[in-house]
Amino acid sequence: MKVLHVYRTCYPETKGGLEQAIRYICKGSGEQGISNTILTLGSENKEYDFEGSRIIVIKKNLEISSNGFSFKLIQRFRQLSKEHDIIHYQYPWPTGDLLSLFAYKKPSLVSYQSDIVKQKLLKKIYQPLEQYFLSRVDRIVASSPQYAQTSENLIKHRNKVDVIPLAIDESTYPEIDDGVVTTWKERVGRGFFLFVGVLRYYKGLQYLVEAAKISGLPVVIAGDGPEREALQDYIKQHELTNVKMVGFISEEDKVALHTLSKAFVFPSHLRSEAFGISLVEAQMFGKPIVSADIGTGSSYVNKNGETGITVPPADGALFAQAMQQLANDDELCQRLGQRARERFNKEFTAKRYADNYIALYHQLTTSS
């Protein structure tokens, strides 16, 4: 069986959460005899093999609102669609929707990662193509039951929606020596509340620093992004010596910070946060989580009272209360962290993820 994956980027070209998800599907299915090709865009034309998958990068000609395009991409996609048995798209990526118009008739599916929330004007222009695309693919995969039940697009096409939660591959995380942990311990201490991620508008980090102001508890924010300056201004204005922003970190640094932390905090307050792969990472490290319940995949990962504590979104005071509850109860932290690790083992391993997609691929080829 040959599967063609289509997305604007891929691992190792870039190393975000979705790129990793595509990587795990290809790696896991490749180990079971499926041949994978990834067609993507980049700064130059190139082709190479990675972890058993064929990666074809087409030079990007232009980009509008993070949506890249190349005329050569259409020609190459049409050729590859003829050679493969299944076409696997990712949403949202309008260029992928456009490419589907040029595909040879083959079984197809799309992994639906998130609704388009912010670009409302462009969404109206794009909507006819989007709806045509979603109506033509054979299956749509949501990343959580919550998203499948609350997304207008997924509700509209509920008769062909499957749910396959995202996952991570523990074997890809580095083992670190004690020196790295010691260096970070000297810099930020231990027993802090950790956030790791891109500092974006929907991450609700203003409520996290407000919670830190209210509670006085130690918080470490790792990552960079558009909200960095606003957060730094708030921290300076309120003299929050208990909040440390450490910027972008390596994978080794991330392991060290999780090792030293008491719990993971995830204050995302808008539906733009469709899942939150960093929550799964925290569970892999056996850490309890404090998160906002926004009714998306993040609410699926962190179960209130089982793997952590959830609070209503956009409420710094309630977030502070939940943090204080964990700070005051080491036994509760240990119990929630243990259950978090158990949930990771059951729901979020890369093997489980790949196996579910393999089963879906077989369904598509046998029913076509």
Side-chain angles (χ1 to χ4, degrees):
M1 183 189 300
K2 295 182 178 180
V3 180
L4 174 63
H5 301 263
V6 185
Y7 190 50
R8 64 182 180 84
T9 185
C10 72
Y11 191 96
E13 295 292 305
T14 53
K15 299 181 179 180
L18 182 49
E19 295 93 309
Q20 291 278 21
I22 298 169
R23 175 192 182 189
Y24 299 149
I25 295 170
C26 293
K27 188 170 180 285
S29 62
E31 290 170 355
Q32 297 194 41
I34 292 175
S35 174
N36 293 283
T37 299
I38 303 174
L39 179 63
T40 189
L41 290 169
S43 58
E44 60 179 332
N45 294 313
K46 56 184 174 179
E47 184 174 334
Y48 60 96
D49 290 333
F50 178 76
E51 294 182 338
S53 296
R54 176 188 180 196
I55 296 179
I56 301 172
V57 183
I58 304 298
K59 184 177 180 180
K60 182 167 48 181
N61 296 136
L62 57 92
E63 185 169 316
I64 302 172
S65 295
S66 301
N67 188 62
F69 182 74
S70 165
F71 289 102
K72 185 179 178 182
L73 183 67
I74 296 176
Q75 179 184 0
R76 197 65 192 275
F77 169 77
R78 181 161 174 79
Q79 172 196 347
L80 290 168
S81 71
K82 184 178 182 180
E83 298 171 1
H84 288 73
D85 303 305
I86 292 175
I87 305 173
H88 189 159
Y89 302 94
Q90 300 287 331
Y91 176 101
W93 189 43
T95 297
D97 301 11
L98 178 65
L99 287 176
S100 71
L101 302 178
F102 300 91
Y104 279 85
K105 187 170 178 55
K106 297 291 176 69
S108 62
L109 72 156
V110 58
S111 293
Y112 193 101
Q113 304 298 343
S114 169
D115 296 330
I116 296 175
V117 178
K118 191 175 181 182
Q119 292 116 340
K120 294 183 179 178
L121 177 59
L122 289 175
K123 162 81 171 177
K124 288 183 179 179
I125 299 171
Y126 156 62
Q127 194 169 28
L129 174 61
E130 170 201 60
Q131 292 305 313
Y132 184 68
F133 168 69
L134 293 175
S135 68
R136 288 188 67 195
V137 292
D138 296 297
R139 304 299 299 176
I140 303 173
V141 180
S143 60
S144 71
Q146 284 82 348
Y147 221 85
Q149 293 160 9
T150 57
S151 164
E152 289 185 10
N153 276 340
L154 296 179
I155 292 170
K156 187 181 299 184
H157 299 284
R158 64 168 64 91
N159 63 319
K160 58 179 180 179
V161 170
D162 296 273
V163 174
I164 302 178
L166 296 174
I168 56 177
D169 185 349
E170 189 169 11
S171 69
T172 64
Y173 286 74
E175 293 185 9
I176 58 170
D177 58 43
D178 293 339
V180 179
V181 176
T182 300
T183 299
W184 276 106
K185 185 179 178 181
E186 292 172 351
R187 181 176 175 184
V188 299
R190 69 181 309 145
F192 48 81
F193 290 80
L194 175 65
F195 170 86
V196 179
V198 182
L199 313 183
R200 300 191 190 281
Y201 72 96
Y202 59 82
K203 295 289 184 180
L205 291 164
Q206 63 269 41
Y207 305 107
L208 174 59
V209 291
E210 181 186 351
K213 175 176 176 287
I214 293 168
S215 67
L217 292 168
V219 172
V220 173
I221 298 174
D224 203 352
E227 298 299 308
R228 175 172 54 85
E229 288 188 16
L231 292 169
Q232 288 175 331
D233 289 345
Y234 185 95
I235 292 166
K236 183 178 180 180
Q237 177 186 349
H238 295 279
E239 300 178 344
L240 300 182
T241 57
N242 57 315
V243 180
K244 294 181 173 65
M245 295 184 65
V246 299
F248 180 82
I249 57 171
S250 68
E251 290 297 296
E252 290 80 6
D253 295 333
K254 181 163 61 176
V255 174
L257 287 172
H258 274 290
T259 301
L260 292 166
S261 68
K262 173 179 282 290
F264 192 75
V265 283
F266 196 79
S268 295
H269 65 302
L270 297 174
R271 277 186 63 84
S272 297
E273 187 68 78
F275 193 84
I277 204 69
S278 60
L279 291 170
V280 177
E281 286 184 330
Q283 291 188 344
M284 183 184 74
F285 288 107
K287 299 296 177 177
I289 298 167
V290 178
S291 64
D293 187 354
I294 54 176
T296 65
S298 63
S299 301
Y300 175 74
V301 179
N302 186 29
K303 290 192 168 295
N304 187 45
E306 180 182 334
T307 61
I309 301 172
T310 64
V311 298
D315 193 321
L318 288 179
F319 210 91
Q321 286 182 24
M323 291 168 61
Q324 195 71 62
Q325 187 178 348
L326 292 181
N328 294 340
D329 194 336
D330 288 339
E331 184 181 341
L332 176 64
C333 268
Q334 184 177 2
R335 184 171 69 251
L336 294 176
Q338 181 179 345
R339 290 177 179 172
R341 175 65 205 202
E342 290 169 357
R343 182 159 174 75
F344 168 78
N345 290 338
K346 181 181 178 182
E347 298 289 341
F348 302 119
T349 64
K351 184 179 187 312
R352 187 275 312 160
Y353 189 58
D355 285 349
N356 284 345
Y357 269 105
I358 292 168
L360 185 53
Y361 290 160
H362 285 297
Q363 289 176 25
L364 285 170
T365 54
T366 55
S367 61
S368 61

